[in-house]
Amino acid sequence: MNPLAGKFPFALAGILLLSGCTTAYQKNKFGDFDQALAEGRSLDALAIAEQHSGLDDTGRADDLLWSLQAASLMRQEKIYARSNSLFDQAEHGMKDEDTKHVLMQGVELAGSMLVNDSITSYTQTQYDGVMLNTYKALNFMAQGDYANARIEWNRTEDRQRRAAEHFAAKIAAQKEELAEEEEKVDKENVNRTLEAADPLLAQQGVDLSEWQAYDGYVNPFATYMHGLYFMLKAQDKSDYSKAHDSFKRVYGLTKHADVKTDMNMANALRRGQSMERQKPTVWVLFENGLGSKKEEFRIDLPLFVLTSNVSYSGIALPKLVDREPAFSNLQMGPVKTRPLASMDRIIQAEFKTEFPYILSREVIRATLKTVAQKQLQDQNQLLGLAAGLTQAATTGADIRDWSALPKEWQLARVQRPSNGKLNIKVAELDQPLNVTLDPESRFHLVYVKATSPMQTPQVEVMNL
């Protein structure tokens, strides 16, 4: 009897333990959450997010990504203080991730090369940070706390200002890291695998060629809201100039007629025209649908590409999957909301910068695992089989993302109704949304949120 046969159950136990680190666990968590959102069960989705965030009775959470998910749903449910508390914790988590000791990062990366990227800490995207501060600012505005809203809009714009240099530095760091990893493997094997994977990527519909970032990796919605805040809550003429600059940038990106009207209004105000001369106005913002999310796909590689005498070799990668808008638009009398900013486009652009790095790392990882599998197979077939099963079990893609973000934002700018009653018709619904505006205010932001056609849109009114 082979003396290793008795040890085989322990090998299988190890395989099962490692497989718990793969995307099967991620899929279960995200599957239930995303399904609840798609079905309009936002409170169920919030409960799932709170559980995965580790939220305790004291309001503390310990998971960065799920804190973002929960906080954005708390905002949707108008639980503003708790939402911002979680956003604050997530922001601290982002800072900790940014300043993580180089040695700790190296340990994480080395471990991930043996398993997969899902075992590393979640690393926030650039748009995560922008949306975190944007939502915090909107929460403060909804509470009438304009001083703290000002701080968050300044932070949002600072993140946007640094976006382009962030990506340049990140790409350079990734190239350096890949060069170090390539030292551990036969580069010829890596190149052969990349060539073999190319047509298989095409079969999966992975074509990033048409995805383009907004100029400077800007989120036009965040920049637009920055402008609207500084125009309507200006403390001096410099604020009107800030607003004008933001509107000008967004108009250059979107050519939205209402943004041009805002740009002209901010320009008149910075030139000395009084606010009292401006017509009472309602800005209707529509946060629509759910943005692109990550899903895993696998490519089983031809065994001859890397080496012979192995039982399995393959790679697993994330791809972006579009989700549908909740509704087509909103209508106030003859005026309809029109697209202002696409979160899909922002997500796609950042994913495009990351994907070559993700692909190269996964190919290097597969090469390392397959060579090790062959070496064990050459020594003993049972060990080789166990290694092959382990490789198959631990091959997985990192599909973590802030999946509660919207698909798009739409905008319409309308004159304030004289009776203070705004009737909003949703294209696919029979019953309109009836909004009452504060008669003491001349300017109003009506923020409509719809994640699913199966749920009535939620309305938030800020009387400015």
Side-chain angles (χ1 to χ4, degrees):
M1 178 178 175
N2 190 319
L4 291 172
K7 298 180 181 179
F8 192 59
F10 296 103
L12 283 177
I15 292 163
L16 292 173
L17 181 63
L18 286 168
S19 66
C21 297
T22 66
T23 52
Y25 182 53
Q26 293 183 58
K27 286 177 184 175
N28 288 338
K29 291 204 295 187
F30 280 98
D32 293 343
F33 177 77
D34 291 339
Q35 184 175 354
L37 285 179
E39 293 175 355
R41 296 183 288 110
S42 55
L43 289 176
D44 289 345
L46 174 56
I48 293 168
E50 287 180 335
Q51 178 186 355
H52 293 319
S53 73
L55 189 66
D56 62 23
D57 292 339
T58 68
R60 303 298 300 173
D62 56 19
D63 185 283
L64 168 57
L65 174 57
W66 285 100
S67 294
L68 293 173
Q69 303 268 45
S72 55
L73 289 174
M74 287 175 182
R75 164 165 167 66
Q76 181 175 327
E77 298 299 326
K78 302 180 183 178
I79 313 170
Y80 299 121
R82 288 183 64 201
S83 173
N84 270 358
S85 174
L86 268 188
F87 277 135
D88 282 341
Q89 293 177 56
E91 192 162 20
H92 286 304
M94 288 181 177
K95 290 175 182 174
D96 290 343
E97 187 65 29
D98 285 340
T99 58
K100 186 184 292 181
H101 193 278
V102 174
L103 180 60
M104 183 62 70
Q105 289 178 333
V107 169
E108 272 198 357
L109 290 169
S112 73
M113 293 307 288
L114 298 174
V115 186
N116 59 61
D117 285 337
S118 68
I119 70 166
T120 63
S121 301
Y122 175 73
T123 302
Q124 68 270 13
T125 62
Q126 183 71 9
Y127 61 77
D128 283 351
V130 170
M131 285 308 304
L132 179 151
N133 292 117
T134 296
Y135 279 153
K136 281 176 70 179
L138 287 168
N139 281 344
F140 282 128
M141 287 178 67
Q143 293 174 290
D145 185 348
Y146 298 112
N148 275 313
R150 173 177 288 263
I151 293 170
E152 296 304 328
W153 287 126
N154 281 329
R155 287 175 176 167
T156 300
E157 200 57 17
D158 186 56
R159 284 188 188 274
Q160 303 248 65
R161 180 183 57 78
R162 293 184 283 115
E165 48 187 72
H166 162 84
F167 283 110
K170 188 168 186 177
I171 290 168
Q174 287 174 348
K175 286 180 179 177
E176 185 176 336
E177 182 193 318
L178 286 175
E180 291 177 5
E181 294 295 342
E182 284 174 352
E183 298 279 331
K184 304 171 186 175
V185 295
D186 184 341
K187 290 185 181 179
E188 190 177 335
N189 274 342
V190 172
N191 291 334
R192 282 207 306 269
T193 307
L194 286 169
E195 288 174 11
D198 228 17
L200 301 174
L201 290 173
Q203 289 174 19
Q204 288 286 335
V206 179
D207 180 8
L208 317 184
S209 60
E210 294 187 4
W211 291 352
Q212 297 297 327
Y214 288 107
D215 185 41
Y217 291 92
V218 167
N219 179 332
F221 166 72
T223 298
Y224 175 78
M225 288 304 307
H226 173 273
L228 193 62
Y229 170 85
F230 278 97
M231 181 171 73
L232 297 181
K233 290 298 174 183
Q235 295 178 352
D236 52 41
K237 286 186 178 181
S238 68
D239 282 351
Y240 293 132
S241 293
K242 285 182 184 178
H244 179 266
D245 290 346
S246 289
F247 291 141
K248 183 177 180 180
R249 188 169 196 186
V250 175
Y251 181 68
L253 296 171
T254 67
K255 304 303 179 189
H256 198 296
D258 290 330
V259 178
K260 187 175 184 180
T261 302
D262 289 324
M263 180 176 69
N264 292 337
M265 178 177 171
N267 190 43
L269 291 166
R270 72 173 179 164
R271 292 178 180 274
Q273 194 176 100
S274 70
M275 186 63 85
E276 285 68 30
R277 290 187 58 187
Q278 311 307 316
K279 293 179 180 178
T281 304
V282 183
W283 286 265
V284 179
L285 268 297
F286 180 27
E287 184 176 321
N288 189 20
L290 292 167
S292 300
K293 66 172 185 174
K294 292 178 183 175
E295 288 186 358
E296 177 187 288
F297 70 96
R298 285 185 175 230
I299 296 177
D300 293 322
L301 296 169
L303 296 180
F304 65 83
V305 171
L306 293 170
T307 183
S308 58
N309 198 27
V310 293
S311 56
Y312 172 80
S313 183
I315 59 177
L317 296 163
K319 67 178 178 180
L320 288 182
V321 177
D322 283 349
R323 292 184 283 181
E324 295 299 313
F327 302 103
S328 55
N329 57 58
L330 308 178
Q331 186 168 354
M332 291 67 61
V335 179
K336 293 182 180 180
T337 55
R338 291 185 295 133
L340 171 68
S342 167
M343 192 71 224
D344 277 350
R345 181 173 172 180
I346 294 163
I347 293 169
Q348 289 165 357
E350 192 153 344
F351 183 78
K352 182 177 180 177
T353 67
E354 291 280 347
F355 189 76
Y357 167 75
I358 294 169
L359 174 60
S360 296
R361 271 180 60 81
E362 181 65 0
V363 168
I364 292 170
R365 182 183 291 114
T367 304
L368 287 168
K369 289 180 179 180
T370 306
V371 170
Q373 184 189 158
K374 182 187 184 303
Q375 290 171 346
L376 289 171
Q377 179 76 21
D378 290 344
Q379 293 175 36
N380 180 281
Q381 285 192 346
L382 199 56
L383 283 175
L385 176 61
L389 290 171
T390 301
Q391 183 170 346
T394 59
T395 296
D398 187 356
I399 58 170
R400 292 172 293 178
D401 61 359
W402 188 354
S403 58
L405 289 173
K407 185 177 186 66
E408 63 166 1
W409 290 270
Q410 298 181 14
L411 166 69
R413 192 183 196 277
V414 297
Q415 188 171 338
R416 184 188 189 281
S418 56
N419 64 359
K421 306 290 184 182
L422 184 69
N423 183 281
I424 301 175
K425 178 155 181 58
V426 184
E428 292 81 5
L429 296 181
D430 295 331
Q431 295 297 319
L433 308 172
N434 296 309
V435 179
T436 301
L437 306 171
D438 183 353
E440 300 299 317
S441 301
R442 298 178 68 243
F443 304 113
H444 314 267
L445 172 62
V446 176
Y447 198 99
V448 181
K449 165 82 172 174
T451 58
S452 165
M454 300 172 71
Q455 184 180 39
T456 302
Q458 289 157 295
V459 180
E460 181 179 42
V461 181
M462 302 179 201
N463 299 299
L464 304 169

